Amino acid sequence: YYPAEAKRLNVQGRVGISLVVGGNGRVASCRVTGSSGSGQLDDTTCRIATRSLRFDPAKDTDGNPIESTWPMTIRWELKDE
């Protein structure tokens, strides 16, 4: 998943995001709240979150699934091979 160009340039960092999670548990939208300084890492973080993450949706007082927001921080780090 590491962006090829970012990997080649040894770009690392933390990306803060805020996800809107729909009542179906899927990510409806993603917004970068703390940039890594790399557009590639920021964009890739939201793309992966939107396509891949699933949640148990929040529920209202009657137990019905509702939309909610979820903050996350993702650390992109290259490991020595």
Side-chain angles (χ1 to χ4, degrees):
Y1 295 113
Y2 217 101
E5 182 69 6
K7 187 174 184 178
R8 187 180 71 74
L9 296 172
N10 198 39
V11 175
Q12 303 179 85
R14 292 176 188 256
V15 182
I17 57 175
S18 178
L19 304 175
V20 174
V21 178
N24 61 0
R26 294 181 176 263
V27 176
S29 67
C30 175
R31 179 176 57 90
V32 174
T33 58
S35 176
S36 64
S38 165
Q40 286 186 326
L41 295 183
D42 296 350
D43 293 346
T44 299
T45 300
C46 274
R47 186 171 53 254
I48 290 171
T50 303
R51 290 182 183 171
S52 303
L53 296 180
R54 302 293 180 264
F55 294 86
D56 289 330
K59 296 189 176 171
D60 65 16
T61 55
D62 293 325
N64 300 309
I66 58 171
E67 184 177 278
S68 62
T69 58
W70 187 264
M72 297 179 78
T73 300
I74 305 298
R75 183 173 63 176
W76 290 90
E77 181 177 24
L78 292 166
K79 303 284 185 184
D80 293 331
E81 294 181 15

